[in-house]
Amino acid sequence: MGDTKNLISLDAIEKIKDLAESADICHFVTAISKTPLSTRPMSTQKVDDDGFIWFMSDKSSIKNQEINSDSRVQLFYSHQSSSEYLSIFGTAEIIFDRDKIEEMWTPIAKAWFTEGKDDPAISLLKVTPQEGYYWDTKNNKMVALVKIATAIVTGKTMDDGIEGKLTV
């Protein structure tokens, strides 16, 4: 079995920033108290130095409506090429600050907001992590697969992964 390394405060924020920004796309889950869960892929705009995770969203979207009803969200990141995974539970807040929208703007966002950074439909989602868990490998995917194959043949555990709780 791999190592367990629980991270707190700035170390947790750095791990979130590293994994969330490198994976980029996450499954953003809202309406947590309902079945089935409401989920969709979303691109992370930024993880700031305080650990807040930022997304752009259409102000009239279903996810914004669901956040208005229940601010609890779950984010699932998967960076398959490096076998890194991240799960974040937190609360989301809808932000309409034009300066913050300009700060978060990227040219790719124009695909969704055709009027550019001044598009009146833009809102930001600010996720405040409350709990998290990560799974990380010390090596790339190919090395991990070789170690798994070796473990199968030898019967010895070759897991060199690291996992742990994240407390911001």
Side-chain angles (χ1 to χ4, degrees), residues 35-56:
T35 304
L37 298 173
S38 183
T39 186
R40 77 281 298 150
M42 292 194 61
S43 182
T44 303
Q45 294 303 116
K46 180 180 183 177
V47 180
D48 69 22
D49 292 338
D50 295 317
F52 300 122
I53 305 168
W54 294 87
F55 300 87
M56 283 192 172

PDB file of all heavy atoms in Angstrom, residues 35-56:
ATOM      1  N   THR A  35     -31.490  12.938  -5.846  1.00  0.00           N
ATOM      2  CA  THR A  35     -31.057  11.784  -6.616  1.00  0.00           C
ATOM      3  C   THR A  35     -31.793  11.808  -7.943  1.00  0.00           C
ATOM      4  O   THR A  35     -33.003  11.963  -7.942  1.00  0.00           O
ATOM      5  CB  THR A  35     -31.374  10.475  -5.867  1.00  0.00           C
ATOM      6  OG1 THR A  35     -30.756  10.540  -4.585  1.00  0.00           O
ATOM      7  CG2 THR A  35     -30.851   9.288  -6.611  1.00  0.00           C
ATOM      8  N   PRO A  36     -31.142  11.674  -9.063  1.00  0.00           N
ATOM      9  CA  PRO A  36     -29.695  11.565  -9.209  1.00  0.00           C
ATOM     10  C   PRO A  36     -29.022  12.922  -9.008  1.00  0.00           C
ATOM     11  O   PRO A  36     -29.664  13.968  -9.115  1.00  0.00           O
ATOM     12  CB  PRO A  36     -29.516  11.080 -10.639  1.00  0.00           C
ATOM     13  CG  PRO A  36     -30.700  11.625 -11.369  1.00  0.00           C
ATOM     14  CD  PRO A  36     -31.826  11.626 -10.363  1.00  0.00           C
ATOM     15  N   LEU A  37     -27.721  12.873  -8.738  1.00  0.00           N
ATOM     16  CA  LEU A  37     -26.952  14.102  -8.594  1.00  0.00           C
ATOM     17  C   LEU A  37     -26.915  14.841  -9.927  1.00  0.00           C
ATOM     18  O   LEU A  37     -27.017  14.240 -10.985  1.00  0.00           O
ATOM     19  CB  LEU A  37     -25.520  13.770  -8.168  1.00  0.00           C
ATOM     20  CG  LEU A  37     -25.352  13.075  -6.828  1.00  0.00           C
ATOM     21  CD1 LEU A  37     -23.895  12.679  -6.641  1.00  0.00           C
ATOM     22  CD2 LEU A  37     -25.817  13.951  -5.691  1.00  0.00           C
ATOM     23  N   SER A  38     -26.750  16.121  -9.851  1.00  0.00           N
ATOM     24  CA  SER A  38     -26.635  16.939 -11.056  1.00  0.00           C
ATOM     25  C   SER A  38     -25.147  17.238 -11.262  1.00  0.00           C
ATOM     26  O   SER A  38     -24.515  17.877 -10.432  1.00  0.00           O
ATOM     27  CB  SER A  38     -27.431  18.228 -10.866  1.00  0.00           C
ATOM     28  OG  SER A  38     -27.406  19.005 -12.024  1.00  0.00           O
ATOM     29  N   THR A  39     -24.599  16.741 -12.360  1.00  0.00           N
ATOM     30  CA  THR A  39     -23.167  16.918 -12.602  1.00  0.00           C
ATOM     31  C   THR A  39     -22.904  17.317 -14.045  1.00  0.00           C
ATOM     32  O   THR A  39     -23.683  16.999 -14.935  1.00  0.00           O
ATOM     33  CB  THR A  39     -22.377  15.633 -12.240  1.00  0.00           C
ATOM     34  OG1 THR A  39     -20.993  15.882 -12.357  1.00  0.00           O
ATOM     35  CG2 THR A  39     -22.765  14.481 -13.130  1.00  0.00           C
ATOM     36  N   ARG A  40     -21.802  18.046 -14.228  1.00  0.00           N
ATOM     37  CA  ARG A  40     -21.396  18.462 -15.563  1.00  0.00           C
ATOM     38  C   ARG A  40     -19.901  18.749 -15.543  1.00  0.00           C
ATOM     39  O   ARG A  40     -19.333  19.109 -14.512  1.00  0.00           O
ATOM     40  CB  ARG A  40     -22.155  19.704 -16.041  1.00  0.00           C
ATOM     41  CG  ARG A  40     -21.737  21.024 -15.486  1.00  0.00           C
ATOM     42  CD  ARG A  40     -22.219  21.384 -14.101  1.00  0.00           C
ATOM     43  NE  ARG A  40     -23.660  21.458 -14.014  1.00  0.00           N
ATOM     44  CZ  ARG A  40     -24.332  21.175 -12.908  1.00  0.00           C
ATOM     45  NH1 ARG A  40     -23.698  20.810 -11.817  1.00  0.00           N
ATOM     46  NH2 ARG A  40     -25.630  21.243 -12.869  1.00  0.00           N
ATOM     47  N   PRO A  41     -19.239  18.583 -16.708  1.00  0.00           N
ATOM     48  CA  PRO A  41     -17.823  18.932 -16.768  1.00  0.00           C
ATOM     49  C   PRO A  41     -17.659  20.443 -16.810  1.00  0.00           C
ATOM     50  O   PRO A  41     -18.435  21.136 -17.479  1.00  0.00           O
ATOM     51  CB  PRO A  41     -17.355  18.287 -18.075  1.00  0.00           C
ATOM     52  CG  PRO A  41     -18.584  18.175 -18.910  1.00  0.00           C
ATOM     53  CD  PRO A  41     -19.743  18.021 -17.957  1.00  0.00           C
ATOM     54  N   MET A  42     -16.692  20.934 -16.073  1.00  0.00           N
ATOM     55  CA  MET A  42     -16.397  22.367 -16.071  1.00  0.00           C
ATOM     56  C   MET A  42     -14.889  22.568 -16.017  1.00  0.00           C
ATOM     57  O   MET A  42     -14.177  21.754 -15.437  1.00  0.00           O
ATOM     58  CB  MET A  42     -17.067  23.068 -14.890  1.00  0.00           C
ATOM     59  CG  MET A  42     -18.577  23.089 -15.021  1.00  0.00           C
ATOM     60  SD  MET A  42     -19.386  24.226 -13.900  1.00  0.00           S
ATOM     61  CE  MET A  42     -18.715  25.808 -14.363  1.00  0.00           C
ATOM     62  N   SER A  43     -14.452  23.663 -16.584  1.00  0.00           N
ATOM     63  CA  SER A  43     -13.033  24.002 -16.578  1.00  0.00           C
ATOM     64  C   SER A  43     -12.733  24.952 -15.425  1.00  0.00           C
ATOM     65  O   SER A  43     -13.423  25.954 -15.237  1.00  0.00           O
ATOM     66  CB  SER A  43     -12.665  24.664 -17.908  1.00  0.00           C
ATOM     67  OG  SER A  43     -11.299  24.964 -17.938  1.00  0.00           O
ATOM     68  N   THR A  44     -11.712  24.623 -14.688  1.00  0.00           N
ATOM     69  CA  THR A  44     -11.282  25.473 -13.579  1.00  0.00           C
ATOM     70  C   THR A  44     -10.598  26.716 -14.133  1.00  0.00           C
ATOM     71  O   THR A  44      -9.689  26.613 -14.952  1.00  0.00           O
ATOM     72  CB  THR A  44     -10.292  24.711 -12.680  1.00  0.00           C
ATOM     73  OG1 THR A  44     -10.920  23.516 -12.225  1.00  0.00           O
ATOM     74  CG2 THR A  44      -9.855  25.543 -11.497  1.00  0.00           C
ATOM     75  N   GLN A  45     -11.037  27.894 -13.701  1.00  0.00           N
ATOM     76  CA  GLN A  45     -10.385  29.134 -14.117  1.00  0.00           C
ATOM     77  C   GLN A  45      -9.095  29.333 -13.335  1.00  0.00           C
ATOM     78  O   GLN A  45      -8.076  29.713 -13.895  1.00  0.00           O
ATOM     79  CB  GLN A  45     -11.302  30.336 -13.897  1.00  0.00           C
ATOM     80  CG  GLN A  45     -12.542  30.361 -14.755  1.00  0.00           C
ATOM     81  CD  GLN A  45     -12.224  30.308 -16.223  1.00  0.00           C
ATOM     82  OE1 GLN A  45     -12.581  29.363 -16.899  1.00  0.00           O
ATOM     83  NE2 GLN A  45     -11.527  31.296 -16.725  1.00  0.00           N
ATOM     84  N   LYS A  46      -9.180  29.078 -12.019  1.00  0.00           N
ATOM     85  CA  LYS A  46      -8.028  29.362 -11.172  1.00  0.00           C
ATOM     86  C   LYS A  46      -8.275  28.785  -9.791  1.00  0.00           C
ATOM     87  O   LYS A  46      -9.416  28.696  -9.344  1.00  0.00           O
ATOM     88  CB  LYS A  46      -7.836  30.886 -11.069  1.00  0.00           C
ATOM     89  CG  LYS A  46      -6.677  31.332 -10.208  1.00  0.00           C
ATOM     90  CD  LYS A  46      -6.584  32.855 -10.177  1.00  0.00           C
ATOM     91  CE  LYS A  46      -5.373  33.287  -9.377  1.00  0.00           C
ATOM     92  NZ  LYS A  46      -5.207  34.738  -9.390  1.00  0.00           N
ATOM     93  N   VAL A  47      -7.192  28.429  -9.116  1.00  0.00           N
ATOM     94  CA  VAL A  47      -7.216  28.182  -7.674  1.00  0.00           C
ATOM     95  C   VAL A  47      -6.345  29.287  -7.086  1.00  0.00           C
ATOM     96  O   VAL A  47      -5.159  29.386  -7.396  1.00  0.00           O
ATOM     97  CB  VAL A  47      -6.653  26.794  -7.310  1.00  0.00           C
ATOM     98  CG1 VAL A  47      -6.705  26.597  -5.802  1.00  0.00           C
ATOM     99  CG2 VAL A  47      -7.428  25.683  -8.014  1.00  0.00           C
ATOM    100  N   ASP A  48      -6.947  30.152  -6.280  1.00  0.00           N
ATOM    101  CA  ASP A  48      -6.185  31.298  -5.788  1.00  0.00           C
ATOM    102  C   ASP A  48      -5.366  30.934  -4.548  1.00  0.00           C
ATOM    103  O   ASP A  48      -5.429  29.811  -4.041  1.00  0.00           O
ATOM    104  CB  ASP A  48      -7.080  32.523  -5.585  1.00  0.00           C
ATOM    105  CG  ASP A  48      -8.077  32.402  -4.447  1.00  0.00           C
ATOM    106  OD1 ASP A  48      -7.876  31.578  -3.522  1.00  0.00           O
ATOM    107  OD2 ASP A  48      -9.074  33.152  -4.470  1.00  0.00           O
ATOM    108  N   ASP A  49      -4.599  31.885  -4.064  1.00  0.00           N
ATOM    109  CA  ASP A  49      -3.695  31.642  -2.940  1.00  0.00           C
ATOM    110  C   ASP A  49      -4.417  31.334  -1.631  1.00  0.00           C
ATOM    111  O   ASP A  49      -3.804  30.819  -0.697  1.00  0.00           O
ATOM    112  CB  ASP A  49      -2.757  32.838  -2.747  1.00  0.00           C
ATOM    113  CG  ASP A  49      -1.772  32.984  -3.903  1.00  0.00           C
ATOM    114  OD1 ASP A  49      -1.528  31.984  -4.607  1.00  0.00           O
ATOM    115  OD2 ASP A  49      -1.257  34.107  -4.107  1.00  0.00           O
ATOM    116  N   ASP A  50      -5.708  31.662  -1.549  1.00  0.00           N
ATOM    117  CA  ASP A  50      -6.499  31.353  -0.357  1.00  0.00           C
ATOM    118  C   ASP A  50      -7.180  29.991  -0.470  1.00  0.00           C
ATOM    119  O   ASP A  50      -7.889  29.574   0.440  1.00  0.00           O
ATOM    120  CB  ASP A  50      -7.551  32.445  -0.114  1.00  0.00           C
ATOM    121  CG  ASP A  50      -6.910  33.785   0.216  1.00  0.00           C
ATOM    122  OD1 ASP A  50      -5.940  33.806   0.996  1.00  0.00           O
ATOM    123  OD2 ASP A  50      -7.357  34.817  -0.325  1.00  0.00           O
ATOM    124  N   GLY A  51      -7.004  29.320  -1.607  1.00  0.00           N
ATOM    125  CA  GLY A  51      -7.582  27.994  -1.808  1.00  0.00           C
ATOM    126  C   GLY A  51      -8.968  27.999  -2.430  1.00  0.00           C
ATOM    127  O   GLY A  51      -9.559  26.937  -2.607  1.00  0.00           O
ATOM    128  N   PHE A  52      -9.489  29.176  -2.784  1.00  0.00           N
ATOM    129  CA  PHE A  52     -10.785  29.236  -3.449  1.00  0.00           C
ATOM    130  C   PHE A  52     -10.620  28.744  -4.887  1.00  0.00           C
ATOM    131  O   PHE A  52      -9.650  29.081  -5.560  1.00  0.00           O
ATOM    132  CB  PHE A  52     -11.354  30.654  -3.460  1.00  0.00           C
ATOM    133  CG  PHE A  52     -11.571  31.230  -2.094  1.00  0.00           C
ATOM    134  CD1 PHE A  52     -10.949  32.412  -1.732  1.00  0.00           C
ATOM    135  CD2 PHE A  52     -12.384  30.597  -1.167  1.00  0.00           C
ATOM    136  CE1 PHE A  52     -11.145  32.958  -0.471  1.00  0.00           C
ATOM    137  CE2 PHE A  52     -12.583  31.126   0.096  1.00  0.00           C
ATOM    138  CZ  PHE A  52     -11.953  32.313   0.444  1.00  0.00           C
ATOM    139  N   ILE A  53     -11.589  27.954  -5.351  1.00  0.00           N
ATOM    140  CA  ILE A  53     -11.552  27.412  -6.707  1.00  0.00           C
ATOM    141  C   ILE A  53     -12.594  28.167  -7.522  1.00  0.00           C
ATOM    142  O   ILE A  53     -13.758  28.232  -7.139  1.00  0.00           O
ATOM    143  CB  ILE A  53     -11.834  25.897  -6.697  1.00  0.00           C
ATOM    144  CG1 ILE A  53     -10.855  25.192  -5.746  1.00  0.00           C
ATOM    145  CG2 ILE A  53     -11.735  25.323  -8.110  1.00  0.00           C
ATOM    146  CD1 ILE A  53     -11.217  23.765  -5.440  1.00  0.00           C
ATOM    147  N   TRP A  54     -12.178  28.735  -8.659  1.00  0.00           N
ATOM    148  CA  TRP A  54     -13.008  29.630  -9.450  1.00  0.00           C
ATOM    149  C   TRP A  54     -13.409  29.013 -10.793  1.00  0.00           C
ATOM    150  O   TRP A  54     -12.593  28.394 -11.467  1.00  0.00           O
ATOM    151  CB  TRP A  54     -12.263  30.935  -9.714  1.00  0.00           C
ATOM    152  CG  TRP A  54     -12.011  31.736  -8.474  1.00  0.00           C
ATOM    153  CD1 TRP A  54     -10.939  31.624  -7.625  1.00  0.00           C
ATOM    154  CD2 TRP A  54     -12.843  32.756  -7.938  1.00  0.00           C
ATOM    155  NE1 TRP A  54     -11.065  32.525  -6.604  1.00  0.00           N
ATOM    156  CE2 TRP A  54     -12.217  33.234  -6.762  1.00  0.00           C
ATOM    157  CE3 TRP A  54     -14.047  33.320  -8.339  1.00  0.00           C
ATOM    158  CZ2 TRP A  54     -12.762  34.242  -5.991  1.00  0.00           C
ATOM    159  CZ3 TRP A  54     -14.598  34.328  -7.572  1.00  0.00           C
ATOM    160  CH2 TRP A  54     -13.961  34.780  -6.406  1.00  0.00           C
ATOM    161  N   PHE A  55     -14.676  29.248 -11.161  1.00  0.00           N
ATOM    162  CA  PHE A  55     -15.231  28.796 -12.439  1.00  0.00           C
ATOM    163  C   PHE A  55     -16.053  29.931 -13.028  1.00  0.00           C
ATOM    164  O   PHE A  55     -16.569  30.776 -12.297  1.00  0.00           O
ATOM    165  CB  PHE A  55     -16.182  27.605 -12.224  1.00  0.00           C
ATOM    166  CG  PHE A  55     -15.535  26.408 -11.608  1.00  0.00           C
ATOM    167  CD1 PHE A  55     -15.446  26.285 -10.232  1.00  0.00           C
ATOM    168  CD2 PHE A  55     -15.024  25.396 -12.401  1.00  0.00           C
ATOM    169  CE1 PHE A  55     -14.843  25.177  -9.650  1.00  0.00           C
ATOM    170  CE2 PHE A  55     -14.426  24.280 -11.833  1.00  0.00           C
ATOM    171  CZ  PHE A  55     -14.341  24.171 -10.455  1.00  0.00           C
ATOM    172  N   MET A  56     -16.232  29.924 -14.343  1.00  0.00           N
ATOM    173  CA  MET A  56     -17.171  30.833 -15.003  1.00  0.00           C
ATOM    174  C   MET A  56     -18.436  30.059 -15.310  1.00  0.00           C
ATOM    175  O   MET A  56     -18.377  28.872 -15.647  1.00  0.00           O
ATOM    176  CB  MET A  56     -16.587  31.386 -16.299  1.00  0.00           C
ATOM    177  CG  MET A  56     -15.579  32.451 -16.080  1.00  0.00           C
ATOM    178  SD  MET A  56     -15.183  33.286 -17.627  1.00  0.00           S
ATOM    179  CE  MET A  56     -14.182  34.595 -16.963  1.00  0.00           C
TER     180      MET A  56
END
